[in-house]
Amino acid sequence: MLQSMRVVGGCRLEGEIRVSGAKNLALPALVATILTDKPVTLRNVPNLADVKSLLELLNCIGTEVSYNDKHTITLSTRSIKSATAPYDFVRKMRASILVLGALIARHKQATVSLPGGCAIGARGVDLHIKALEMMGAEIAIENGYIEAKAPNGLIGCDIAFPMTTVTGTENILMAATLAKGTTRLINAAMEPEVEAFCELLNKMGARISGAGTSVITIEGVDELHGTEFEIIPDRIEAGTYAIAAAVTNGKILLKDCRYEHLTSFFETLNSVGVACEKVDNGVLVYRKSDEIQPISIQTAPYPGFPTDLQAQYTVLMSICNGSASITENIFENRFMHVPELARMGANISVQGKTALVTGVEKLKGAQVMATDLRASVSLVIAGLVAEGETIVNRLYHLDRGYENLEEKLNACGAHVERFEV
Ligand code: EPZ
């Protein structure tokens, strides 16, 4: 059954929201558990559709999954039952491509469907494949599948990524942990999730240095072992609720949010006129004045402005005092929220990779369509501040990345409800 969300406008969000575990760390962390035949326990795993999909795939590969509680999972892959990631899984969730590096490292063979495109862009995996070939994997593309094998194991080497790739970095990190010799990743992703991912791999016995910088060195080891690990808070979820507080002129404590994971974003909000204050147990966000200053941004790899907060920021600029430009440098088609926001009265024109947003007095509630994870949540945020009621359709996009969204918003004074259509 398809679900939609009714959002009543004109609310002010006030209260506290506990940030869940980071989706974009939980996904690679789940995959990393197949690198060893020993159990790995992950804590603070967010309860999301993408996590459930990936657990199903790992189960097919041969991983036994047991929930100790709603957010603590123990995974153990005593042996690999199937080294295949079928099209049906990978097309639904492109992060499944992460099993490629782990299966080649553990099992010396992998058959992984090419992810195909996705709503926000082509999202190729050519850099993942090239890097594995440089490490000695023999790779062929047959019938839409990546057929990879490394019968004698992988060999460490220097790999310079021509462009920063988050899951590309993570895929090669996993492959390199069990390779012979040393691998150096140059132009590696520096996201907090990648840095934490390296901590997990080192806790499993890997020998990684330079995590969080653009050059990461991995000394291959013979095997990895089990461990326990806590997933860091989700900075993108936190940033999303910061914007929701800002547009509704509310005041929210983002519990467990780590300011240093969103420095560039919080500094931008401070220039816009939204206070973002680091406090003991998180970050306190509230408007400093009635004016929302127009501040132009460009998305960039970490530590720049996160592409995953671009759609949400566009909503904030749609009610600013003036005009601001928003340039999307990471994905080629990440403005699908724009036509939907325009239906709510936003004044936005897109030229190439730049959206020019001119603030309007107010947005008006409307029926709108979610298209991808972050675009969907930007429509909910717009609904919170719009006049009247907004209906957001195709909620399955939202459930991929936001745990208990309605509960979290309604606990702060929103009126949001989900219904079957
Ligand atoms: C990760 O995607 C995140 N997903 C994305 O979050 C995030 O938007 C993105 O990084 C950028 O920060 C996960 O971590 C699971 P990339 P990823 O490889 O790794 C191109 C969300 O909303 N590219 O860093 O797939 C690619 O097309 C999601 O939570 C190639 O051309 O992104 C893109 O334009 C959305 N060839 C750019 O690089 C490759 O081999 C950056 O992609 C790899 C990437």
Side-chain angles (χ1 to χ4, degrees):
M1 285 290 277
L2 278 179
Q3 292 188 326
S4 293
M5 186 173 278
R6 177 176 294 107
V7 184
V8 176
C11 77
R12 277 183 58 135
L13 291 182
E14 294 196 331
E16 178 177 309
I17 292 181
R18 186 194 167 272
V19 179
S20 297
K23 167 179 84 79
N24 290 348
L25 172 58
L27 297 177
L30 291 171
V31 173
T33 63
I34 70 175
L35 287 167
T36 175
D37 59 1
K38 303 292 182 299
V40 177
T41 296
L42 300 174
R43 290 192 303 277
N44 198 30
V45 179
N47 190 18
L48 300 169
D50 273 8
V51 167
K52 289 193 180 64
S53 307
L54 188 53
L55 286 173
E56 277 171 39
L57 172 58
L58 293 177
N59 197 260
C60 297
I61 286 173
T63 306
E64 282 161 42
V65 175
S66 65
Y67 272 86
N68 311 24
D69 64 42
K70 196 169 169 218
H71 296 104
T72 306
I73 311 177
T74 297
L75 302 96
S76 115
T77 312
R78 275 196 285 274
S79 68
I80 301 289
K81 262 183 357 209
S82 155
T84 297
Y87 173 67
D88 236 13
F89 277 112
V90 182
R91 74 177 175 80
K92 272 188 299 195
M93 204 219 7
R94 60 171 277 109
S96 319
I97 192 69
L98 285 165
V99 303
L100 179 64
L103 282 171
I104 297 176
R106 167 84 188 268
H107 190 66
K108 299 187 170 41
Q109 186 268 325
T111 301
V112 177
S113 168
L114 282 167
C118 102
I120 61 179
R123 299 191 70 183
V125 289
D126 52 311
L127 303 182
H128 302 231
I129 291 169
K130 273 198 200 92
L132 289 166
E133 285 176 328
M134 288 172 70
M135 297 177 76
E138 296 147 39
I139 295 186
I141 308 292
E142 285 156 20
N143 313 319
Y145 278 78
I146 303 165
E147 297 290 353
K149 53 179 185 286
N152 306 315
L154 295 170
I155 314 286
C157 64
D158 280 7
I159 294 168
F161 283 120
M163 67 179 5
T164 311
T165 162
V166 172
T167 49
T169 299
E170 292 162 347
N171 230 337
I172 304 310
L173 278 168
M174 286 188 275
T177 54
L178 297 176
K180 294 181 188 63
T182 301
T183 300
R184 271 194 333 152
L185 293 186
I186 295 131
N187 197 15
M190 301 190 278
E191 273 69 4
E193 294 79 20
V194 176
E195 184 172 4
F197 186 56
C198 291
E199 282 162 33
L200 166 60
L201 294 172
N202 280 342
K203 282 191 77 173
M204 293 172 66
R207 292 172 57 193
I208 299 172
S209 54
T213 75
S214 62
V215 179
I216 304 179
T217 303
I218 308 104
E219 306 283 345
V221 295
D222 293 337
E223 62 179 13
L224 298 182
H225 52 69
T227 189
E228 289 219 1
F229 183 76
E230 171 133 351
I231 301 292
I232 60 171
D234 192 320
R235 63 193 170 97
I236 303 303
E237 183 198 22
T240 301
Y241 291 122
I243 296 265
V247 298
T248 60
N249 201 2
K251 185 170 191 171
I252 295 275
L253 168 66
L254 301 169
K255 197 166 170 310
D256 296 342
C257 172
R258 296 187 194 169
Y259 188 97
E260 67 277 11
H261 287 174
L262 281 169
T263 307
S264 161
F265 170 75
F266 283 140
E267 282 171 358
T268 303
L269 286 196
N270 272 304
S271 321
V272 165
V274 178
C276 302
E277 292 167 4
K278 189 177 166 67
V279 295
D280 285 353
N281 55 349
V283 177
L284 185 62
V285 178
Y286 58 92
R287 278 259 286 281
K288 289 184 277 195
S289 72
D290 283 343
E291 301 246 312
I292 296 174
Q293 298 307 321
I295 300 288
S296 297
I297 59 118
Q298 300 224 15
T299 64
Y302 191 87
F305 191 102
T307 174
D308 293 344
L309 288 170
Q310 178 263 105
Q312 301 89 319
Y313 185 77
T314 305
V315 178
L316 182 59
M317 288 298 103
S318 70
I319 53 170
C320 76
N321 294 56
S323 296
S325 67
I326 294 173
T327 300
E328 173 54 60
N329 289 316
I330 307 293
F331 291 108
E332 59 272 30
N333 182 31
R334 205 170 196 179
F335 286 128
M336 284 168 301
H337 45 288
V338 168
E340 299 305 309
L341 292 175
R343 299 188 60 245
M344 298 176 72
N347 177 355
I348 309 173
S349 67
V350 176
Q351 304 289 332
K353 58 182 191 172
T354 296
L356 182 63
V357 189
T358 300
V360 294
E361 190 61 35
K362 61 174 61 168
L363 297 173
K364 299 255 186 347
Q367 277 250 23
V368 289
M369 187 74 75
T371 50
D372 66 270
L373 170 57
R374 308 302 176 182
S376 341
V377 82
S378 73
L379 299 177
V380 174
I381 293 173
L384 291 172
V385 69
E387 196 176 62
E389 201 174 79
T390 295
I391 304 291
V392 182
N393 297 306
R394 293 190 185 169
L395 278 200
Y396 57 86
H397 289 292
L398 212 55
D399 297 334
R400 297 190 52 176
Y402 289 94
E403 182 180 35
N404 298 338
L405 179 121
E406 301 97 282
E407 291 82 349
K408 292 185 177 186
L409 288 175
N410 289 340
C412 293
H415 300 285
V416 168
E417 62 167 349
R418 178 187 292 254
F419 57 96
E420 309 278 349
V421 288

Coordinates of all heavy atoms in Angstrom, one line a residue, residues 23-25 27-28 94-95 98 120-129 163-168 170 189 191 235-236 300-301 307-308 329-332 334 372-374, ligand 1:
K23 N 22.8 6.8 8.8 CA 22.5 5.8 7.8 C 23.7 5.5 6.9 O 24.0 4.4 6.6 CB 21.4 6.4 6.8 CG 21.2 5.6 5.5 CD 20.1 6.2 4.6 CE 20.6 7.3 3.8 NZ 21.3 7.0 2.6
N24 N 24.5 6.6 6.6 CA 25.6 6.5 5.7 C 26.9 5.9 6.3 O 27.9 5.8 5.7 CB 25.8 7.8 4.9 CG 24.7 8.0 3.9 OD1 23.9 7.1 3.7 ND2 24.6 9.2 3.4
L25 N 26.7 5.6 7.6 CA 27.8 4.8 8.3 C 27.2 3.4 8.5 O 27.9 2.4 8.3 CB 28.2 5.4 9.6 CG 29.2 4.5 10.4 CD1 30.5 4.1 9.6 CD2 29.6 5.2 11.7
L27 N 25.2 1.6 6.8 CA 25.2 0.7 5.6 C 26.6 0.1 5.3 O 26.7 -1.1 5.3 CB 24.7 1.5 4.4 CG 23.2 2.0 4.5 CD1 22.8 2.8 3.3 CD2 22.3 0.8 4.7
P28 N 27.7 0.9 5.2 CA 29.0 0.3 5.0 C 29.4 -0.6 6.2 O 30.0 -1.6 6.1 CB 30.0 1.4 4.8 CG 29.3 2.7 5.3 CD 27.8 2.4 5.1
R94 N 21.5 1.6 -4.0 CA 22.8 1.5 -4.7 C 23.9 1.2 -3.7 O 25.0 0.8 -4.1 CB 23.0 2.7 -5.5 CG 23.1 4.0 -4.8 CD 23.5 5.1 -5.7 NE 25.0 5.2 -5.7 CZ 25.7 4.8 -6.8 NH1 25.1 4.4 -7.8 NH2 27.0 4.9 -6.8
A95 N 23.7 1.5 -2.4 CA 24.8 1.2 -1.5 C 25.1 -0.3 -1.4 O 26.2 -0.7 -0.9 CB 24.4 1.7 -0.1
L98 N 28.5 -1.8 -2.2 CA 29.6 -2.0 -1.2 C 30.0 -3.4 -1.0 O 31.0 -3.7 -0.5 CB 29.1 -1.3 0.1 CG 29.2 0.2 0.1 CD1 28.4 0.8 1.3 CD2 30.6 0.7 0.2
I120 N 18.7 10.9 -8.7 CA 19.5 12.2 -8.6 C 20.7 12.2 -9.6 O 21.4 13.2 -9.7 CB 20.0 12.4 -7.2 CG1 20.9 11.3 -6.7 CG2 18.8 12.6 -6.3 CD1 21.4 11.5 -5.3
G121 N 20.9 11.1 -10.4 CA 21.9 11.2 -11.4 C 22.4 9.8 -11.8 O 22.0 8.8 -11.3
A122 N 23.4 9.8 -12.7 CA 23.9 8.5 -13.3 C 24.5 7.7 -12.2 O 24.4 6.5 -12.2 CB 24.9 8.9 -14.3
R123 N 25.2 8.3 -11.3 CA 25.8 7.7 -10.1 C 26.6 6.4 -10.6 O 26.3 5.3 -10.2 CB 24.8 7.4 -9.1 CG 24.1 8.7 -8.6 CD 23.3 8.5 -7.4 NE 24.0 8.2 -6.2 CZ 23.5 8.0 -5.0 NH1 22.2 8.0 -5.0 NH2 24.2 7.7 -4.0
G124 N 27.6 6.6 -11.4 CA 28.4 5.5 -11.9 C 29.2 4.8 -10.8 O 29.3 5.4 -9.7
V125 N 29.7 3.7 -11.1 CA 30.6 3.0 -10.2 C 31.9 2.6 -10.8 O 32.7 1.8 -10.4 CB 29.9 1.7 -9.6 CG1 28.8 2.0 -8.6 CG2 29.5 0.8 -10.7
D126 N 32.2 3.4 -11.9 CA 33.4 3.1 -12.7 C 34.7 3.3 -11.9 O 35.6 2.5 -12.0 CB 33.5 4.1 -13.9 CG 33.3 5.5 -13.5 OD1 32.3 5.8 -12.8 OD2 34.1 6.4 -13.9
L127 N 34.6 4.2 -10.9 CA 35.9 4.4 -10.1 C 36.1 3.2 -9.1 O 37.2 2.9 -8.9 CB 35.7 5.7 -9.3 CG 35.5 7.0 -10.2 CD1 35.5 8.2 -9.3 CD2 36.6 7.1 -11.3
H128 N 35.0 2.6 -8.7 CA 35.1 1.5 -7.8 C 35.8 0.3 -8.6 O 36.7 -0.3 -8.1 CB 33.7 0.9 -7.4 CG 32.8 1.9 -6.6 ND1 32.2 1.6 -5.5 CD2 32.4 3.2 -6.9 CE1 31.5 2.6 -5.0 NE2 31.6 3.6 -5.9
I129 N 35.3 0.1 -9.8 CA 35.8 -1.0 -10.7 C 37.2 -0.8 -11.1 O 38.0 -1.7 -10.9 CB 34.8 -1.1 -11.9 CG1 33.4 -1.6 -11.5 CG2 35.5 -2.0 -12.9 CD1 32.4 -1.5 -12.6
M163 N 37.9 11.8 -8.8 CA 37.0 12.6 -8.1 C 36.7 11.9 -6.7 O 36.8 10.7 -6.6 CB 35.7 12.8 -8.9 CG 34.9 11.6 -9.0 SD 33.4 11.5 -9.9 CE 33.1 13.0 -10.6
T164 N 36.3 12.7 -5.8 CA 36.0 12.1 -4.4 C 34.8 11.3 -4.5 O 33.8 11.7 -5.1 CB 35.8 13.2 -3.4 OG1 36.8 14.2 -3.6 CG2 35.8 12.7 -2.0
T165 N 34.9 10.0 -4.0 CA 33.7 9.2 -4.0 C 33.6 8.5 -2.6 O 34.6 7.8 -2.2 CB 33.7 8.1 -5.1 OG1 32.8 7.0 -4.8 CG2 35.1 7.5 -5.3
V166 N 32.5 8.7 -1.9 CA 32.3 8.2 -0.6 C 32.3 6.7 -0.6 O 33.1 6.0 0.1 CB 31.0 8.8 0.1 CG1 30.8 8.1 1.4 CG2 31.2 10.3 0.3
T167 N 31.3 6.1 -1.3 CA 31.3 4.6 -1.2 C 32.4 4.0 -2.0 O 32.8 2.9 -1.8 CB 29.9 4.1 -1.8 OG1 29.7 4.7 -3.1 CG2 28.8 4.3 -0.9
G168 N 33.0 4.7 -3.0 CA 34.2 4.2 -3.7 C 35.3 4.1 -2.7 O 36.0 3.1 -2.7
E170 N 35.0 3.7 0.5 CA 34.6 2.6 1.5 C 34.8 1.2 0.9 O 35.3 0.3 1.5 CB 33.2 2.8 2.0 CG 33.1 4.1 2.8 CD 31.7 4.6 3.0 OE1 30.7 4.1 2.3 OE2 31.5 5.4 3.9
A189 N 37.7 10.1 0.3 CA 36.6 10.9 1.0 C 36.9 11.1 2.4 O 37.5 10.2 3.1 CB 35.3 10.1 0.8
E191 N 34.6 12.3 4.7 CA 33.3 12.5 5.5 C 33.5 11.8 6.9 O 34.2 10.8 7.0 CB 32.2 11.8 4.8 CG 31.4 12.7 3.8 CD 32.2 13.0 2.5 OE1 33.4 12.6 2.4 OE2 31.7 13.8 1.7
R235 N 24.5 13.1 10.9 CA 24.6 14.6 10.7 C 23.6 15.1 9.7 O 23.2 16.3 9.8 CB 26.0 15.0 10.4 CG 26.5 14.4 9.0 CD 28.0 14.6 8.8 NE 28.4 13.8 7.7 CZ 28.6 14.4 6.4 NH1 28.5 15.7 6.3 NH2 28.8 13.6 5.4
I236 N 23.2 14.3 8.8 CA 22.3 14.8 7.7 C 20.9 14.9 8.3 O 20.1 15.8 8.1 CB 22.3 13.9 6.5 CG1 23.7 13.8 5.9 CG2 21.3 14.4 5.4 CD1 24.4 15.2 5.5
A300 N 29.7 20.7 -1.8 CA 31.1 20.2 -2.0 C 31.3 18.9 -1.2 O 30.6 18.8 -0.2 CB 32.1 21.3 -1.7
P301 N 32.3 18.1 -1.5 CA 32.6 17.0 -0.6 C 33.0 17.5 0.8 O 33.4 18.7 0.9 CB 33.8 16.4 -1.3 CG 33.7 16.8 -2.7 CD 33.1 18.1 -2.7
T307 N 25.9 18.0 0.1 CA 24.8 17.9 -1.0 C 23.5 17.3 -0.4 O 22.4 17.6 -0.8 CB 25.3 17.0 -2.1 OG1 24.2 16.8 -3.1 CG2 25.8 15.6 -1.7
D308 N 23.6 16.5 0.7 CA 22.5 15.8 1.2 C 21.6 16.8 2.0 O 20.5 16.5 2.5 CB 22.8 14.7 2.1 CG 23.4 13.5 1.3 OD1 23.3 13.5 0.1 OD2 24.1 12.6 1.9
N329 N 27.1 20.8 -7.0 CA 28.3 20.3 -7.7 C 28.5 18.8 -7.7 O 29.4 18.3 -8.3 CB 29.6 21.0 -7.1 CG 29.6 22.5 -7.4 OD1 29.4 22.9 -8.5 ND2 29.8 23.3 -6.4
I330 N 27.8 18.1 -6.8 CA 28.1 16.6 -6.7 C 27.2 15.8 -7.6 O 27.8 14.9 -8.3 CB 27.8 16.2 -5.2 CG1 28.5 17.1 -4.2 CG2 28.1 14.7 -5.0 CD1 30.0 17.0 -4.3
F331 N 25.9 16.0 -7.7 CA 25.1 15.2 -8.6 C 24.5 16.1 -9.7 O 24.3 17.3 -9.5 CB 23.9 14.6 -7.7 CG 24.4 13.6 -6.8 CD1 24.4 13.8 -5.4 CD2 24.9 12.4 -7.2 CE1 24.9 12.9 -4.5 CE2 25.3 11.4 -6.3 CZ 25.4 11.7 -5.0
E332 N 24.2 15.4 -10.8 CA 23.8 16.2 -12.0 C 22.3 16.5 -12.0 O 21.8 17.2 -12.8 CB 24.3 15.5 -13.3 CG 23.8 14.1 -13.5 CD 24.7 13.0 -12.9 OE1 25.3 13.3 -11.9 OE2 24.7 12.0 -13.5
R334 N 19.9 17.0 -9.0 CA 19.4 17.0 -7.6 C 18.5 18.2 -7.3 O 18.6 18.8 -6.2 CB 20.6 16.9 -6.7 CG 20.1 16.2 -5.4 CD 21.2 15.8 -4.4 NE 20.7 14.9 -3.4 CZ 21.3 14.4 -2.5 NH1 22.6 14.6 -2.3 NH2 20.8 13.5 -1.6
D372 N 13.0 11.7 -4.3 CA 14.2 11.0 -3.7 C 14.3 11.4 -2.2 O 13.5 12.3 -1.8 CB 15.5 11.4 -4.5 CG 15.9 12.9 -4.2 OD1 15.5 13.7 -5.0 OD2 16.6 13.1 -3.3
L373 N 15.1 10.7 -1.5 CA 15.1 10.8 -0.1 C 15.2 12.2 0.4 O 14.3 12.7 1.2 CB 16.3 10.0 0.5 CG 16.7 10.2 1.9 CD1 15.5 9.8 2.8 CD2 17.9 9.3 2.2
R374 N 16.1 13.0 0.0 CA 16.3 14.4 0.6 C 15.3 15.4 0.0 O 14.8 16.3 0.7 CB 17.7 14.9 0.4 CG 18.7 13.9 0.9 CD 18.6 13.5 2.4 NE 19.6 12.5 2.7 CZ 19.7 11.9 3.9 NH1 18.9 12.2 4.8 NH2 20.6 11.0 4.1
Ligands
EPZ1 C1 27.3 8.8 -0.8 O1 26.8 8.3 -2.1 C2 26.1 8.9 0.1 N1 25.4 7.6 0.2 C3 25.1 9.9 -0.6 O2 24.0 10.0 0.3 C4 25.8 11.2 -0.7 O3 24.9 12.1 -1.3 C5 27.1 11.1 -1.5 O4 27.9 10.0 -0.9 C6 27.9 12.3 -1.6 O5 28.2 12.8 -0.3 C7 26.0 6.7 1.1 O6 27.0 6.9 1.7 C8 25.3 5.4 1.2 P1 29.8 9.4 -4.4 P2 27.9 7.8 -3.2 O7 30.4 8.2 -4.9 O8 29.0 7.2 -2.5 C9 30.1 10.3 -9.1 C10 21.7 10.2 0.9 O9 20.8 11.0 0.6 N2 30.8 9.0 -9.2 O10 30.5 10.2 -3.4 O11 27.1 7.0 -4.2 C11 28.7 10.2 -8.7 O12 27.9 9.9 -9.8 C12 22.7 9.7 -0.2 O13 21.9 9.7 2.0 C13 31.2 8.5 -10.5 O14 31.0 9.1 -11.5 O15 28.3 9.2 -3.9 C14 28.4 11.5 -8.0 O16 28.1 12.4 -9.1 C15 22.4 10.2 -1.6 N3 31.8 7.3 -10.5 C16 29.8 11.9 -7.4 O17 30.8 11.0 -8.1 C17 32.0 6.5 -9.4 O18 32.6 5.4 -9.5 C18 29.9 11.6 -5.9 O19 29.4 10.3 -5.7 C19 31.6 7.0 -8.2 C20 31.0 8.2 -8.1

